[in-house]
Amino acid sequence: MANLHDSGTGTPEISKVGIIGAGVSGIAAAKQLRHFSPIVFEATDSVGGVWKHCAFHCTRLQTPRNDYEFSDYPWPPLPDYPPPENDSATFPTHLEIVEYLENYARHFDVLKFVKLNHRVVEIKYLSDRKPTYYDGMWGNFGKPLSGEPAWEVGVQTPLSEDIQWFRFEFLVVCLGKYGDVAKMPEFPTGKGPEIFQGTVLHSLDYSKLDRQEAERLVKGKKVVVVGYKKSAIDFATECAEVNQGPDRQPCTMLIRTLHWIMLPSYSVWGISFLLLYATRFSQFLHERPSMSLLRALLCLLLSPLRKAISKFIELYLIWKLPLRKFGLVPEHAYEEDYASCQMAILPEKFFPAAEDGRICFRRSSKWCFWSGGVELEDGSRLEADVVMLATGFDGLKKLKWIFPEPFRHYIQDSSGIVPLYRGTVHPLIPHMAFVGYIESVSNLHTSEIRCRWLSSLLQGAFVLPTVDKMVYEISKQMEVMKRTTRFYKRHCISTFSINHTDEMYEDMGLSPWRKRNWLQEAFSPYSNRDYKDDN
């Protein structure tokens, strides 16, 4: 079929598959679905997603690069540097990641499917069938491709305010959870940023600045950064690097919730971190959805070992880093942060800057503005010229902006998450998939696997279960997350990621066992390279 938009006749021509977004997930989807000649809509002028448009100058990958690569496209060999330079090279910069993604897209010739500067502004449901699940089946009686258009997508370009319309049998949404829409704190009347006499910006705004603009913003200024995750830590490090002269001012991190942080060596007491969390044996210690009674009993009996591993890591980090000195030891166990994908890799210059007084720390669960800075819950005040809000992003809001009712209401469940079967299909939204919303330690890996699973689904290799069955499976997954971590709303599968992949491979009729022998299967870390032969 021709991949054309409305030419003025009022009837857009139909394509089988459309993809929204050309970040990591969108490029993975385009490659896996390339036999459908998909149309990929990208709102910006380049591929790369958040790595291209929402990164700071010092932003690096959070996992070793070998855990963040496509199974059929490895990174180039590392330079033969001695540590610690080699440790830095193991965690590529955001520019190197963008280059890797662009090279991958060129290698598999998927850039021809991408329409740059095409922003999706509206989605319409076209099917004559009512958007309910009265027949108990998803889509067209469990089949994703119905032979007729199900969705109409409205797109705008910088060249015109007119909306171009495209129709698709199936739509893949790869907008992601991060970037585009800033999550802003709410304040009582008269205590918000409107009364502050300095500069307020979100990390999303800061990421748009070039290096000179960023330096001018903070040099010689009293800066407060709200947050203690990756963006906040990177910003504080950059701020401290700029303010080293005689006119320097400290950057104060205002911390609401402490989280554990990791060293770039990615080892604990000389043991690879991957051996502690990325093997079948290590994940056997953690609860997972739909366990048998025997498996649940063994998990309970082995829980002391699981807790000991978490404590083992905590003791190492407290010994290696000045966490006690600066009051930065979290109250919760390390495994709770791992289970919610919240471990930030520490920039090398972060704690040296803190020791030098260029980074300071204050704790307060609540805060507001006053004319000269920010006021903490205890009534104390911090003077500031600049307040940077590293308060995250609202990925759900950008979905709700473009979705019609009743699907806008369905997107988010009562827990505040996007309920997705196999991390991909929403039971109540037919002929559509979402990639990049449920996290893992390596989002690229899970995106590639889910897109491969989606490709098999669209080719008819298997049929989805009933809507009730999918809802049940999702509820079981959420129950596990709620028992594992208080931060369950982040919807991360890190503690049972191997099992998650196993289920998708079983759906596709492929063996989930990827190692050469049972010893490697149990104790060797899993990575994307184990799935290379199935592209």
Side-chain angles (χ1 to χ4, degrees):
M1 293 182 181
N3 296 332
L4 300 175
H5 61 79
D6 186 350
S7 59
T9 64
T11 305
E13 296 195 28
I14 303 168
S15 297
K16 278 194 176 295
V17 177
I19 300 171
I20 305 177
V24 171
S25 298
I27 293 298
K31 189 263 185 178
Q32 295 296 333
L33 302 173
R34 63 191 185 279
H35 44 278
F36 289 109
S37 296
I39 297 178
V40 184
F41 300 113
E42 169 54 43
T44 68
D45 60 358
S46 61
V47 302
V50 293
W51 291 111
K52 176 71 173 181
H53 304 289
C54 300
F56 298 168
H57 304 294
C58 72
T59 299
R60 287 182 174 269
L61 188 61
Q62 287 287 281
T63 53
R65 69 182 200 153
N66 287 345
D67 280 340
Y68 199 87
E69 67 179 10
F70 292 104
S71 60
D72 52 0
Y73 194 76
W75 284 88
L78 275 173
D80 189 20
Y81 293 149
E85 288 82 1
N86 206 301
D87 286 344
S88 297
T90 301
F91 297 87
T93 67
H94 66 98
L95 296 176
E96 292 170 325
I97 296 168
V98 171
E99 182 181 12
Y100 172 77
L101 294 173
E102 290 175 342
N103 289 340
Y104 173 83
R106 291 191 193 96
H107 180 79
F108 290 103
D109 196 26
V110 299
L111 290 177
K112 65 184 179 184
F113 303 129
V114 180
K115 291 183 175 292
L116 299 176
N117 293 309
H118 279 62
R119 179 179 297 277
V120 173
V121 295
E122 187 178 356
I123 298 174
K124 295 179 181 179
Y125 184 64
L126 296 176
S127 176
D128 292 334
R129 300 178 71 221
K130 294 180 180 179
T132 65
Y133 59 105
Y134 58 87
D135 57 11
M137 297 300 291
W138 184 88
N140 184 38
F141 297 99
K143 298 179 181 179
L145 296 174
S146 62
E148 59 183 25
W151 295 97
E152 191 169 51
V153 177
V155 178
Q156 281 185 326
T157 69
L159 300 178
S160 172
E161 294 184 359
D162 294 337
I163 297 179
Q164 302 174 15
W165 291 98
F166 299 76
R167 289 184 174 182
F168 301 98
E169 290 185 43
F170 196 90
L171 202 56
V172 187
V173 180
C174 302
L175 293 175
K177 296 169 65 174
Y178 303 107
D180 297 328
V181 182
K183 182 180 291 184
M184 303 297 289
E186 296 182 357
F187 302 95
T189 303
K191 294 190 175 182
E194 69 278 358
I195 68 168
F196 178 50
Q197 296 179 1
T199 301
V200 181
L201 73 165
H202 190 272
S203 59
L204 182 62
D205 304 312
Y206 180 77
S207 68
K208 309 300 182 185
L209 304 179
D210 62 32
R211 186 178 293 273
Q212 290 72 29
E213 291 172 327
E215 289 182 358
R216 285 197 298 270
L217 176 72
V218 300
K219 188 172 181 61
K221 306 284 183 61
K222 297 175 182 177
V223 180
V224 172
V225 54
V226 180
Y228 189 62
K229 294 180 185 176
K230 183 58 178 173
S231 293
I233 290 172
D234 282 352
F235 173 80
T237 303
E238 289 192 3
C239 184
E241 280 294 291
V242 172
N243 286 301
Q244 297 192 62
D247 61 342
R248 72 185 189 189
Q249 295 286 350
C251 175
T252 302
M253 299 192 73
L254 178 53
I255 303 170
R256 295 169 295 171
T257 304
L258 287 169
H259 293 283
W260 292 96
I261 48 184
M262 277 296 294
L263 291 163
S265 62
Y266 229 61
S267 66
V268 180
W269 302 106
I271 300 173
S272 170
F273 181 81
L274 298 176
L275 291 174
L276 301 176
Y277 280 106
T279 68
R280 285 194 182 274
F281 175 76
S282 63
Q283 293 199 3
F284 187 82
L285 304 177
H286 296 265
E287 186 180 0
R288 71 186 190 195
S290 304
M291 293 192 302
S292 66
L293 182 61
L294 177 60
R295 172 76 171 76
L297 179 60
L298 287 173
C299 187
L300 179 63
L301 294 175
L302 291 172
S303 60
L305 178 57
R306 185 193 74 239
K307 294 177 181 178
I309 291 173
S310 180
K311 181 60 70 174
F312 177 74
I313 297 172
E314 293 165 27
L315 292 174
Y316 174 76
L317 293 174
I318 291 172
W319 171 73
K320 192 71 174 178
L321 301 171
L323 300 181
R324 292 199 188 281
K325 176 179 179 179
F326 293 108
L328 300 178
V329 179
E331 298 176 357
H332 56 270
Y334 176 84
E335 67 177 349
E336 287 201 57
D337 274 345
Y338 183 80
S340 53
C341 299
Q342 294 193 100
M343 316 82 59
I345 296 297
L346 193 67
E348 294 177 1
K349 298 179 180 180
F350 179 75
F351 275 118
E355 297 279 9
D356 195 29
R358 287 176 287 134
I359 298 178
C360 303
F361 308 95
R362 294 291 300 270
R363 293 282 308 279
S364 183
S365 58
K366 296 180 181 179
W367 63 281
C368 61
F369 284 95
W370 63 287
S371 60
V374 298
E375 182 176 320
L376 310 187
E377 190 174 22
D378 62 4
S380 60
R381 290 181 168 184
L382 300 176
E383 293 184 356
D385 301 305
V386 177
V387 175
M388 210 277 273
L389 305 174
T391 49
F393 304 92
D394 195 336
L396 286 171
K397 182 177 288 186
K398 60 182 175 181
L399 285 180
K400 292 180 178 180
W401 280 347
I402 61 174
F403 267 74
E405 291 291 357
F407 303 108
R408 185 182 298 133
H409 177 72
Y410 293 160
I411 288 173
Q412 184 178 8
D413 70 6
S414 59
S415 299
I417 58 103
V418 180
L420 299 176
Y421 177 73
R422 298 291 191 254
T424 309
V425 166
H426 195 303
L428 305 183
I429 306 181
H431 308 296
M432 182 177 289
F434 298 79
V435 183
Y437 289 87
I438 297 181
E439 295 186 69
S440 70
V441 173
S442 176
N443 288 326
L444 183 148
H445 167 67
T446 48
S447 290
E448 182 182 27
I449 295 296
R450 287 167 183 160
C451 290
R452 191 176 301 164
W453 177 88
L454 180 60
S455 177
S456 294
L457 173 65
L458 295 186
Q459 293 181 79
F462 61 94
V463 177
L464 290 173
T466 65
V467 167
D468 287 340
K469 176 66 174 175
M470 288 192 285
V471 171
Y472 174 79
E473 292 287 340
I474 295 168
S475 67
K476 287 296 182 183
Q477 187 179 93
M478 285 308 304
E479 288 173 8
V480 169
M481 292 180 180
K482 288 178 180 179
R483 288 192 292 267
T484 303
T485 175
R486 71 195 68 186
F487 309 112
Y488 67 89
K489 289 188 178 181
R490 287 182 61 87
H491 209 172
C492 171
I493 62 164
S494 61
T495 56
F496 54 90
S497 58
I498 298 175
N499 177 72
H500 180 78
T501 302
D502 288 350
E503 291 176 332
M504 288 187 285
Y505 261 62
E506 289 169 356
D507 289 343
M508 293 186 284
L510 300 173
S511 172
W513 306 95
R514 316 304 298 176
K515 304 293 187 180
R516 295 180 179 178
N517 55 61
W518 69 268
L519 195 62
Q520 288 183 334
E521 195 65 63
F523 300 107
S524 177
Y526 258 80
S527 73
N528 240 18
R529 295 186 180 187
D530 293 305
Y531 302 92
K532 178 180 179 180
D533 297 333
D534 296 312
N535 278 280

